[in-house]
Amino acid sequence: MDKGGKGNVGALLPTSLAEGWLERLTKFYLIPEGPFLSNWESLMVVLTLISCILITFMAAFHFLAPWAFIICFFIDFMFFLDIYIKFHVAYLQGGFWVVFPKEMALHYLGSLAFRFDVISNIPWDVIAIGWAGQPEESNRSALYVLALIRIAKLMRAIKIIVFFRRQEKKLHANFTVQILKFASYLITLEHSMACMWFAIACPKGKAESCYDPSWVNPSADTYILSTQLVENGEFVAGLPTLYIQSLYWTVTTMTTTGYGDVVPHNDAERAFGLFAMICGTLFHGYVSGTIASSLSNMDSRRVAYQQKMDAIRQYMTDRDMDIEMQERVLDYYDYMWERNKGIDVKNLFEDMPSTFRSEVALSLNNAIIDKATIFKGCSIGFRRHVAIAMRLYLFTANEFVIHKGDLGLEMYFITQGRIDVFSDDTTTATAVLMEGAHFGEFQIILNNRHEYSARAVCNTDIYVLLKNDLAAAFEAYPEDRKLVVTATEERYKQALASRKSRGVGAGGGGNGMGPTVRSTSELEEEFGMAGAAPDARCSNIPSMGGSRARKMSVVPSLFNRDSNRLSGLAQEGIRE
């Protein structure tokens, strides 16, 4: 047995014990919802839809083209192959996948799915093959009987319903599943109705079998309202025209009450018309209601967010808040909606086990951590601890990220946008930092104050690691602490040496960075990346309107439980 879970299983692969091509074809197992079975079931639904269309069309319109029969027999072969594959589908028992060939086969044999597959795939065609060896006049009759007998295979259409019901049970199913479901239902239903409408008028699919009067052969008193399709025992229109006329009546009757240009002319046609109108009303009503409900549920977050905005707006009005401040608050929440669509990201993964949540955090933030040279060689546990503590902040244009001389409480990782670094003069940038740069480690690890100021040139996304969170990671992983501190001290020495070589003072007190940094190696030593030219443009980040640029926290934390603790970054924003 394999333990329950997908992992790398789910593909059409033999067991590792298989020897030779025969065992490879017979000793394999498939995991439900694995990649192979998911694609295979989708393929079988498409083949079922094609089968339903061909079977009804061939029987109703006396369509006996050889290629149509070839396609039908190929689909039959695929359904028999589907039965063979289902004998090798694993099933869960006590939390484990049962993958033994005998047990899988017995499980399928005892299921309702096996009974349905056998009944829907019985080769009824064999019954009609005996008529094929007759004179040529009778051969077409035999083929027509063959086409009629194949109508029993229409029960395969139940597979379409079962497939989409199973897809809708998945919580991650999207609106596309609903669209595909209704499209499949609509095609199957209206095509079948069109074939039945024609078969009622012409039971054998030939002109001589058409009733008089009928919609293809109307009586004289209604001739003006209808199109004459049969004259002198022959169709005056081709097969495409006959099908389009039938489909036209079906669609207009099932969606409305028809236009009166194609009308029933006998009791059988009138009775079928009533049936078609009732089916159309029920089906299209169901489709419209389901789609409306789905669209309403898709917009539920917007409604909830709008209610929150109304409450905030009312509160600010009641407290007589300054108009400019009201605009800033409303613009903030507008941009919050643009970024996360009302999703409460800070509590999004709170119901996960802590170990799983840390793995999710690492998968999201691992690429960012990799770019920090001081974390090279750290253990996976330490990296998980750092990843789960990282927070995403957004700085808008012209807002300061740090100020020279401030106590460093955070380390910053730029993921999008541009940051200009200044020394004493805030008009000339001494360095330009783009995506991949990081800074602040000298301050939170070596307890230095910021020796420069940094300002966002455009909307910039920055991941922030708090000093307290890093200290907690150091306490949990003391060996990694030694690696990080040693790497930071080495980088700081290199930065100091680089500044001295340029004749620039340095020190924990913050004597400035001096002239513009031009050397690639200097930028790498100081900020972990090569930087960019002073005239480099920002990434294509949408700007936020408002009376003035401002700084905001877009995603406080995906994983941190202490959402009420203000970081030094937020405190700087309050002081400003």
Side-chain angles (χ1 to χ4, degrees), residues 54 199 255 290 491 573:
L54 268 180
T255 55
T290 304
R491 289 193 66 247

Side-chain angles (χ1 to χ4, degrees), residues 314-331:
Q314 184 63 47
Y315 176 79
M316 292 189 298
T317 302
D318 293 342
R319 296 299 301 270
D320 196 22
M321 185 180 289
D322 178 72
I323 298 298
E324 182 181 356
M325 181 59 68
Q326 290 188 34
E327 291 179 357
R328 293 177 60 184
V329 171
L330 294 177
D331 286 342

Side-chain angles (χ1 to χ4, degrees), residues 289-302:
T290 304
I291 291 179
S293 176
S294 299
L295 292 176
S296 176
N297 292 334
M298 289 175 62
D299 208 36
S300 59
R301 287 200 305 269
R302 177 183 288 274

Side-chain angles (χ1 to χ4, degrees), residues 129-339:
I129 290 179
W131 282 279
Q134 301 296 323
E136 187 169 346
E137 181 73 23
S138 301
N139 276 343
R140 291 190 62 82
S141 298
L143 291 175
Y144 182 62
V145 172
L146 184 65
L148 290 177
I149 292 178
R150 292 188 61 84
I151 292 177
K153 296 183 181 294
L154 286 178
M155 65 185 304
R156 291 171 176 170
I158 297 176
K159 291 181 69 72
I160 301 177
I161 300 175
V162 172
F163 173 79
F164 282 110
R165 280 189 177 180
R166 188 162 55 246
Q167 296 301 313
E168 288 175 329
K169 288 182 180 179
K170 301 175 183 177
L171 291 178
H172 59 269
N174 54 32
F175 190 62
T176 305
V177 174
Q178 294 278 358
I179 298 298
L180 293 175
K181 181 184 77 170
F182 291 134
S184 301
Y185 290 179
L186 184 67
I187 292 172
T188 305
L189 178 63
E190 298 203 344
H191 168 81
S192 300
M193 284 288 194
C195 292
M196 293 170 65
W197 173 245
F198 181 80
I200 289 174
C202 304
K204 295 184 179 180
K206 294 183 178 181
E208 60 266 20
S209 67
C210 296
Y211 290 112
D212 185 10
S214 64
W215 70 271
V216 297
N217 191 20
S219 58
D221 57 333
T222 58
Y223 183 79
I224 297 177
L225 297 176
S226 302
T227 302
Q228 188 76 21
L229 298 175
V230 177
E231 289 183 0
N232 301 322
E234 296 290 339
F235 286 123
V236 297
L239 188 59
T241 301
L242 294 174
Y243 176 73
I244 291 174
Q245 285 271 18
S246 302
L247 188 61
Y248 166 77
W249 177 88
T250 302
V251 173
T252 55
T253 302
M254 295 186 69
T255 55
T256 61
T257 55
Y259 290 112
D261 48 352
V262 179
V263 297
H265 289 267
N266 54 55
D267 290 342
E269 292 178 350
R270 294 186 187 95
F272 184 76
L274 290 173
F275 175 72
M277 284 186 281
I278 294 173
C279 289
T281 301
L282 295 176
F283 177 75
H284 289 95
Y286 167 71
V287 171
S288 301
T290 304
I291 291 179
S293 176
S294 299
L295 292 176
S296 176
N297 292 334
M298 289 175 62
D299 208 36
S300 59
R301 287 200 305 269
R302 177 183 288 274
V303 173
Y305 200 81
Q306 185 63 50
Q307 292 174 347
K308 179 179 179 180
M309 290 285 291
D310 293 340
I312 292 172
R313 190 180 293 107
Q314 184 63 47
Y315 176 79
M316 292 189 298
T317 302
D318 293 342
R319 296 299 301 270
D320 196 22
M321 185 180 289
D322 178 72
I323 298 298
E324 182 181 356
M325 181 59 68
Q326 290 188 34
E327 291 179 357
R328 293 177 60 184
V329 171
L330 294 177
D331 286 342
Y332 164 77
Y333 282 105
D334 283 341
Y335 197 74
M336 284 282 289
W337 171 259
E338 292 180 13
R339 291 300 302 270

